[in-house]
Structure formats: C-alpha cells, structure tokens
Amino acid sequence: MTSRQQETGHGPGARDVVRLAVVVGALGVVFGDIGTSPIYTMQTVFNPADPHPVPVSVDNVFGVASLIFWSVMIIVTVTYVLLAMRVDNQGEGGIMALITLLRRWSSNGGRTAAVLAALGIFGAALFFGDSMITPAISVLSAIEGLEIVNPDLEPAVVPITAVIIVALFMVQRRGTAAVGRVFGPVMIAWFLVIAVLGIAGITHHPDILKALSPAYALSFLAGHFGIAFFALAAIVLSVTGAEALYADMGHFGRRAITRGWLGLVLPACVLSYVGQGALILEDPANISSPFFLLAPGWARLPLVILATAATVIASQAVITGAYSVASQAAQLGYLPRLRIAHTSEATMGQIYVPWINWLLMTSVLILVFAFQTSAALAYAFGMAVTGTITITTLLFFYVARLKWGTPRWLLGIGAFLLLGVDLLFVAANLTKLVHGAWLPLLIGLTAFTIMTTWQRGRAIVTAERARTEGTLPEFVEQLRETAASTATVPGTAVFLNRGKQTAPLALRANLEHNHVRHEHVVIMSIETDTVPRVPADERITVDDLGYTDDGITHVTARFGYMDNPDVPAALHTLDPALTEGQLDLDNASYFLSTIELRRGPAPTMASWRKRLFIATSYITADAAAHFDLPRDRTIIMGSHIDV
C-alpha cells in the first residue's frame, strides 16, 4: 500500500487519523539520523583538539549558530524538502531513483545523462560509507554522555558502544516491523525533550535568538572566513541524514515527511542548537558537551538513555537504507544477485540482506575501535554527507530540466546558489582529508569500482553467453526438425533464461546429451524495470514463438527493482489458453544454467578488474532461492565462460 493509498479513508476524521499515523511513522524512521545530529554537531565545531579549532568568542558562537541554522534551511528544507522530493520514480525517492530516471534517458543516447548516472553511482557508493559511519558516530556520541554523568565511566564508552552495535545487527534478521510501532513515539519524545532543553538554555542568554538572522552567518563568513571555512567541516554534521528524507519518500510520501520536518523536527533541532549556543556563551567550559549539559544533573542519565534509543533508531534507519540501496543496485545490474529476506508481509521495503548486514557490522566495529570518539569520526562523516548531497543536487537540476522543461536561466540561478553552498562544504571537508575524511572517499571509490566493474563484466559475460547459446528461433526450428529422434516425456519443464533472443544453455544441453524434452516447455525470462514496482496485470507477457502446437512457450515476467521476483507465483497467473495446454506447475521441474567464470586472454577488461569481477561473483546468491524456486524440483546445469 502506498502512502497515498494509506491516506484514503471513509471520511475526514478517518483520513486525518491515517495521515497522523503516517507522520508518526515517518518521525520514527526518516528523521532518526538528522534528529540526533544536535548531540555532537556544536561540540565538534568547538572541539579544541580539532586541527583547525574555532576559538570560543561571542562573535564566533553567534556566527556558528547562524551558519548551522541557515545550512539546515538551505540544504534540508530548500534542496530536499521543497525541491528534490518533487522528483520521484513512481513514488520512490533517493539517489537511486534519480539514477534509474537518468538510465532511462541515457539509453536514448544522452551522453551527459550517462555521465551523470555514473556520478550518481558514486553518490550511492558514498552512501555505503555513510551507512558504516552513522551507527558508529551516533551510538558513540550518545554513550559519551556517561562521561558527563560520571567521568570515571569514560573507559566503558567504547565497550558499551560495541555491545549495543553487535546487538543491533544481530536482531536485523527479525526485521523492523515488530519494533517499528514504537519508533515514532520514542522519536516524538526525543524531539520534545531536546526542544524543551533548548528553550531552557535560551532563557539563560535570550540574545542568542538573533543568530537566526542571516546577517550573522554572512558577517561570520565575510569577517572571519579563515575560521568560518574550517568550521563548515563540522557544521555539515547538522544536515547528516538529509538524504534519508528523500530516500524514504516511497514509504511515507512527500506530504508526511514535509509535515514531520516543518511541524516538529526542524523547530526542535533549531531550539537545541540555539540553546547550546546560549549555554556556551554563559560558560565557555560547556563546549565539552553542550548537548548533555543543557539538562540538569538529575536528568542527564535519563537523557543518555533516551539519546541511546534515538541513535539506535537512527542507525536502524540507515542500515535499512543500505539494504535497499544494495537491493536496488543488484536489480539494476550494478551488484551481483544478493540473498534478500523480506521481513514484513505488509511492507515490501522492509528487507534483510545478510551479506550487507555482516559487512556493515564488521565495518562499524572497526570504526568504533579505531576512532574511539565521536569527535574523531566526525571528520570522516562530513565527507560522506557532503559528497552525496552535492551529487543529489546536481542530478536534481538535470532531471528538473528534462521533466519540467524549466528555463535554463532559472535552473542556472538555482544551481549556482545551491551547488555553491554544497561545494563550499565539500571544500571545507577536504581540509580534513588526512584527519579521516579520506575514509568515506576510500569506501566510496571501492564500492564504485566494484559496482562499475560488475556492470562491465556482466555485459561481457552476457554477450559471450548469447554467442554460446545461439538464437532461440533457430533452436526452435532445429527442435521441430529433430522431433522424430527426440523423446517426449510427460510433465512441465521451466527453463530460466536471460531473454527471448537466445536458447537456454540447460535446454540445449538436455536435448543434445539426453535427447529428451518435456511435453510442456516454458522458457522464462526475468526483466527488471527501472521502476520500483510493476502492477500484477502488467507482469506477464506470453509468446508462442511462432507455433501453437509444439508445447514450447516463452514467458516474460517483469518485476520492479523493489519487487520480490517470485517465479512460481508469476507462473500461476498464466492463462492456460496462452500456454498451449494446462501446465502442471505443482510438479514442474525448474532448470537453471550456471556459469563458471575464468580469466581469459581477451582484452575485455584490465587484468585486475577481471580478478575483481570473478571474486565478486562468489557472493552471488543462489538463483533458486532468489527466484523462490522449489529446491526439490530444481536442476542446475553448468558451463564456463572466459572473461
């Protein structure tokens, strides 16, 4: 059920209740990352251990608070909520949705679109870095609150963080459906608490509210550019999670996310940031942990517990996002087929990808033990965030031109302003390159190389396989000519194939070596469209391949990249009148062709990329499980191809 369908009801009251429920759900999933940024952003800006520290002064505090506010307004409110979220791929948002739109247009010969799509893949690769860093920095920053409660607990911060992270990844296989119902109320409590604490801080220094004027941000940049520029590398932490607003649009809809952001999240975060600024003005020593010091002594331990819950929710959201990005990338041919478990019957988007889960858990634990503190991780975090935001902004303006025909001069002004802000943040984070910003770039480049290598290698293998298989029409003609020498056995055989142009290797081998065929033969091709989901009435296409009496039928099943490619379920929707007789699907045999890859002498790719492609192929999920084939009726026949 889409968010629009969920908002329908049997009256204004029912619709209002459903809309409120959708907003609450969005608050629990979408805003976890950006909603926990106040824990560590202001503290990181004024961290005295920073290689480019920001001195504590009245002008600097006002300038930083103003820059944080206007960064959030420009990047989150304007770029994402008001602009980017108006572009969707059948309701789905995020950088992968933009990539699929660009792929659709680039297939028509648009070189610029193809280049931008490749850039988008790099943005998606950076998101994997974000998915590794977010759980580490979020949970660390929350547990570090224990140091404010009792400084003697400092040695316990990293071990406690590691235990929470291990527990978080261990329960992923259970899915988020069971705990999702409590996410919304917890995050509502979180935002209300940080808003109240922010207001309490403001009462100590009400003049801090003047920082909401853009004049303070501009004067800080113009008058103290040397300080302000380096401060941007930490200020960008205030917009971490902005991509999640866009990526989760398909689950909750643009309206619910917009209402949640403008109605609660934005005001609460702003009050927290401004309140922390007032606390630092009152006593510069509060830069050690301005977020937790906003709370009175008796409330700090409960605040640590609430912050831990909020950061776990933030981590859950980004982990789920990594599953979705990996699943979509595999469906679009940028990654091997991965084993995916759907953890909810009601929500298709709730999935669990074991290989990604254990990779993320290992990576997050390494980051926690290597960096030790949230401040040290902040240098790495900013680079991943700014890179993804900049690429999303660039892709949006290109899509806006193609989709709406917006005048170039208007797009030019908007791109100049918004990309100018994004690139300023990128430049500031590049100054932290040797201090940790290299990490997300390395992760992004590694993931980008793997995805583009797999895409290239997959194309090579597909071409070589097509040459080996031969054309399907010629094979059908050959089968009719040799019908007298081929034994026919009762039953139905389903041969999965990559398209309608070639003959399945398994079918060819069965006939050439066993000289036998089934009474009913279904050659089935699976197509993944560049749309999230394909309606059931558009899923199946049947072709008799030129003859209606030979028992051979070709079936094309179309799935969206968010669909579960259940082959038996799709076959059960077939009309017997189109399949040259009644298929015995309850007892049908399924045939798969498996390919062994070998590094060949042909100059198709660099030698190291051939090795990478073959190594990556080992994580490919079992095809029978991927297509939900019955294990006891599936036969696998092998061959080999040189890359």
Side-chain angles (χ1 to χ4, degrees):
M1 181 180 293
T2 66
S3 56
R4 291 180 182 177
Q5 289 172 325
Q6 289 172 337
E7 289 191 4
T8 60
H10 299 286
R15 285 195 295 269
D16 290 342
V17 171
V18 173
R19 287 169 182 166
L20 179 60
V22 174
V23 173
V24 171
L27 288 168
V29 175
V30 176
F31 301 106
D33 193 358
I34 199 167
T36 53
S37 295
I39 298 175
Y40 46 79
T41 299
M42 192 72 78
Q43 175 184 343
T44 304
V45 172
F46 291 104
N47 181 13
D50 192 293
H52 305 97
V54 178
V56 179
S57 68
V58 174
D59 288 344
N60 289 352
V61 172
F62 271 82
V64 166
S66 187
L67 274 178
I68 289 176
F69 173 70
W70 286 104
S71 297
V72 171
M73 291 300 294
I74 292 171
I75 293 177
V76 183
T77 306
V78 176
T79 299
Y80 279 92
V81 175
L82 297 183
L83 295 178
M85 289 177 61
R86 295 183 181 274
V87 176
D88 64 88
N89 183 24
Q90 293 195 357
E92 293 290 334
I95 198 166
M96 287 302 296
L98 290 175
I99 291 170
T100 54
L101 293 174
L102 287 168
R103 274 171 52 107
R104 192 177 303 158
W105 285 311
S106 64
S107 64
N108 297 327
R111 180 175 297 179
T112 302
V115 172
L116 289 175
L119 187 62
I121 291 299
F122 181 68
L126 283 175
F127 182 78
F128 286 115
D130 188 1
S131 303
M132 296 174 186
I133 299 172
T134 293
I137 191 174
S138 297
V139 179
L140 261 177
S141 65
I143 302 303
E144 284 170 349
L146 291 174
E147 299 176 25
I148 303 300
V149 177
N150 185 348
D152 293 336
L153 294 174
E154 180 180 356
V157 169
V158 171
I160 292 174
T161 300
V163 169
I164 292 174
I165 286 172
V166 170
L168 174 64
F169 281 98
M170 290 296 290
V171 301
Q172 291 301 312
R173 65 180 182 272
R174 299 181 181 274
T176 58
V179 295
R181 289 187 293 270
V182 303
F183 280 8
V186 170
M187 291 308 296
I188 290 174
W190 167 257
F191 289 121
L192 292 176
V193 167
I194 68 172
V196 170
L197 293 177
I199 293 172
I202 293 170
T203 59
H204 293 288
H205 209 296
D207 285 350
I208 192 65
L209 290 173
K210 294 179 181 178
L212 299 183
S213 167
Y216 285 89
L218 294 174
S219 63
F220 184 48
L221 280 171
H224 306 81
F225 185 76
I227 297 174
F229 176 72
F230 292 114
L232 290 175
I235 289 172
V236 73
L237 298 176
S238 63
V239 298
T240 58
E243 181 70 20
L245 274 68
Y246 190 20
D248 287 323
M249 187 173 69
H251 295 292
F252 301 100
R254 181 171 65 88
R255 291 183 180 179
I257 294 174
T258 301
R259 289 166 181 163
W261 171 251
L262 297 177
L264 180 60
V265 181
L266 175 61
C269 290
V270 170
L271 287 171
S272 180
Y273 286 126
V274 176
Q276 291 178 54
L279 195 69
I280 294 172
L281 287 175
E282 184 180 16
D283 183 357
N286 289 329
I287 62 171
S288 61
S289 185
F291 177 80
F292 288 105
L293 289 173
L294 278 174
W298 61 266
R300 286 171 188 166
L301 183 57
L303 181 60
V304 170
I305 296 173
L306 180 60
T308 302
T311 54
V312 167
I313 292 172
S315 302
Q316 176 68 56
V318 78
I319 291 168
T320 304
Y323 297 158
S324 297
V325 170
S327 172
Q328 295 173 34
Q331 293 277 26
L332 295 173
Y334 290 107
L335 285 176
R337 183 176 59 246
L338 300 171
R339 185 168 74 85
I340 297 173
H342 291 261
T343 59
S344 171
E345 296 182 1
T347 306
M348 284 294 298
Q350 292 184 9
I351 59 176
Y352 168 64
V353 186
W355 196 87
I356 296 296
N357 185 73
W358 304 125
L359 174 65
L360 285 180
M361 187 185 78
T362 303
S363 303
V364 172
L365 288 174
I366 290 173
L367 290 176
V368 168
F369 287 108
F371 285 84
Q372 299 283 314
T373 67
S374 61
L377 270 170
Y379 306 140
F381 202 14
M383 194 71 251
V385 173
T386 55
T388 304
I389 289 173
T390 303
I391 293 171
T392 297
T393 305
L394 182 62
L395 298 186
F396 162 76
F397 280 107
Y398 183 80
V399 171
R401 172 64 184 170
L402 295 177
K403 182 174 183 178
W404 299 313
T406 309
R408 293 181 185 273
W409 66 268
L410 184 58
L411 287 177
I413 294 174
F416 176 79
L417 295 175
L418 296 182
L419 284 173
V421 172
D422 295 343
L423 292 173
L424 191 60
F425 277 110
V426 171
N429 277 274
L430 286 174
T431 65
K432 309 294 185 183
L433 203 58
V434 298
H435 303 288
W438 57 268
L439 178 63
L441 290 179
L442 178 62
I443 295 171
L445 286 171
T446 301
F448 177 78
T449 302
I450 291 172
M451 288 194 286
T452 53
T453 298
W454 181 261
Q455 183 193 35
R456 172 60 182 157
R458 185 171 176 266
I460 294 169
V461 170
T462 299
E464 178 62 22
R465 183 171 178 171
R467 187 190 66 78
T468 304
E469 290 172 337
T471 66
L472 183 57
E474 290 179 359
F475 183 75
V476 171
E477 292 294 337
Q478 177 186 348
L479 184 60
R480 292 180 66 85
E481 293 173 1
T482 59
S485 60
T486 302
T488 301
V489 297
T492 299
V494 180
F495 294 85
L496 266 66
N497 200 33
R498 302 183 72 85
K500 192 166 65 173
Q501 288 72 37
T502 62
L505 286 176
L507 176 58
R508 182 180 291 277
N510 200 35
L511 289 167
E512 291 178 354
H513 297 288
N514 300 325
H515 305 290
V516 65
R517 55 154 290 185
H518 287 74
E519 180 184 5
H520 295 289
V521 174
V522 176
I523 301 172
M524 188 165 188
S525 302
I526 310 298
E527 293 184 359
T528 302
D529 287 2
T530 54
V531 296
R533 295 179 178 85
V534 173
D537 58 350
E538 300 177 10
R539 188 174 307 284
I540 296 295
T541 303
V542 180
D543 187 347
D544 60 16
L545 300 176
Y547 301 98
T548 59
D549 59 349
D550 60 359
I552 303 176
T553 305
H554 185 276
V555 175
T556 301
R558 296 171 55 239
F559 296 94
Y561 60 79
M562 296 290 286
D563 283 327
N564 179 28
D566 188 330
V567 167
L571 287 173
H572 274 91
T573 65
L574 284 171
D575 183 351
L578 301 176
T579 58
E580 304 177 26
Q582 183 69 43
L583 302 179
D584 184 11
L585 295 175
D586 292 333
N587 299 294
S589 298
Y590 293 86
F591 289 82
L592 293 173
S593 304
T594 184
I595 303 296
E596 178 189 354
L597 300 176
R598 302 187 306 193
R599 188 161 52 94
T604 53
M605 287 192 296
S607 181
W608 66 269
R609 294 191 76 184
K610 290 182 180 181
R611 291 189 179 94
L612 176 60
F613 175 69
I614 294 173
T616 307
S617 70
Y618 291 132
I619 68 172
T620 302
D622 178 59
H626 181 73
F627 295 115
D628 288 335
L629 305 183
R631 184 72 63 177
D632 58 337
R633 290 186 279 117
T634 299
I635 299 96
I636 299 176
M637 307 182 74
S639 182
H640 71 267
I641 287 180
D642 290 339
V643 179

